[in-house]
């Protein structure tokens, strides 16, 4: 396989910058095809996966870490790990959830190196690449509101919600990842969702 560092050398160290490159004919390809080609060493196919899922992984890592300071490093490390372990991905169509699991573990590992009770700051997610300025402002405001609500949640509730809603973990996987009883995970998620519904009422 060609060295994954070539990809980031062309697009910069920040995965988000890869989106600025010229669109590839592979952009419309299915995940299965891209994953299969990347597994065979096609760096261009892997680059499409970076552009396709890098922004989501960045938002997820930011939510878990609580700030932008370490996000780019975690996402880049996640893609490097993914490239190195593509041979273990049995179902290419599941590459999205596979990538999210990798960035989830990298993010949680980074958290574990911190002090147990770290304050989570407000963060701004990247603005969507869409339409009119007023639409971008509205989405940014909603994202900031969600970030504030998530930051105010108790840590276990925030982690459970993030793993479930952003990384698409099953209840059992969340319990295993956080070393919590399944019943506790269900309770934490229920309380987190109730709080989010109440606090985000104005955005519904």
């Amino acid at each position: 396989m060609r060295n994954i560092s070539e990809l980031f050398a062309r697009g910069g160290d920040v995965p988000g910058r890869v989106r600025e490159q010229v669109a590839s004919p592979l952009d419309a390809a299915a995940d299965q095809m891209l994953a299969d080609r990347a597994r065979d060493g096609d760096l261009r196919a892997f680059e499409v996966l970076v552009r396709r899922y890098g922004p989501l992984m960045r938002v997820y890592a930011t939510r878990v870490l609580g700030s932008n300071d370490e996000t780019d490093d975690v996402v880049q490390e996640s893609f490097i790990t993914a490239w190195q372990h593509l041979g273990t991905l049995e179902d290419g169509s599941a590459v999205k959830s596979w990538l999210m699991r990798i960035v989830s573990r990298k993010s949680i590992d980074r958290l574990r190196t911190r002090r147990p009770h770290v304050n989570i700051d407000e963060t701004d997610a990247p603005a969507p690449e869409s339409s009119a300025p007023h639409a971008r402002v509205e989405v940014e405001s909603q994202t900031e509101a969600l970030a504030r609500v998530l930051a105010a949640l108790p840590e276990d509730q925030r982690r459970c919600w993030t793993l479930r809603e952003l990384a698409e973990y099953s209840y059992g996987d969340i319990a295993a990842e956080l070393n919590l009883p399944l019943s506790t995970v269900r309770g934490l998620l229920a309380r987190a969702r109730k709080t989010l519904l109440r606090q985000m009422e104005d955005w519904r």
Side-chain angles (χ1 to χ4, degrees), residues 2-13 43 46 76 79-80 83-84:
R2 296 165 63 192
N3 197 317
I4 187 61
S5 63
E6 297 175 24
L7 172 60
F8 295 104
R10 292 204 311 272
D13 291 334
L43 194 65
F46 190 74
Q76 183 169 329
F79 278 122
I80 291 172
W83 176 258
Q84 293 171 340

Side-chain angles (χ1 to χ4, degrees), residues 66-176:
S67 74
N68 288 312
D69 294 344
E70 300 171 284
T71 296
D72 292 328
D73 287 342
V74 167
V75 174
Q76 183 169 329
E77 288 171 11
S78 299
F79 278 122
I80 291 172
T81 297
W83 176 258
Q84 293 171 340
H85 294 87
L86 273 168
T88 67
L89 178 61
E90 297 180 357
D91 181 5
S93 64
V95 68
K96 175 185 175 183
S97 58
W98 184 68
L99 288 171
M100 295 305 296
R101 286 176 183 273
I102 292 174
V103 75
S104 172
R105 287 189 171 86
K106 294 286 184 184
S107 299
I108 290 175
D109 286 345
R110 192 66 70 101
L111 273 181
R112 285 171 177 159
T113 65
R114 299 180 182 176
R115 300 163 81 178
H117 301 292
V118 61
N119 291 326
I120 304 300
D121 300 323
E122 286 185 20
T123 59
D124 295 326
E129 302 175 356
S130 62
S131 55
H134 74 274
R136 291 199 299 271
V137 170
E138 182 176 354
V139 171
E140 288 174 357
S141 297
Q142 184 175 8
T143 302
E144 291 171 2
L146 177 60
R148 287 193 294 271
V149 176
L150 286 174
L153 287 176
E155 186 174 1
D156 283 344
Q157 288 186 32
R158 184 177 64 254
R159 289 187 183 181
C160 285
W161 187 91
T162 303
L163 288 171
R164 178 63 179 169
E165 302 300 335
L166 295 182
E168 301 179 353
Y169 271 42
S170 68
Y171 286 78
D173 287 341
I174 296 172

Side-chain angles (χ1 to χ4, degrees), residues 172-183:
D173 287 341
I174 296 172
E177 186 70 45
L178 300 182
N179 194 27
L180 294 171
L182 186 60
S183 59

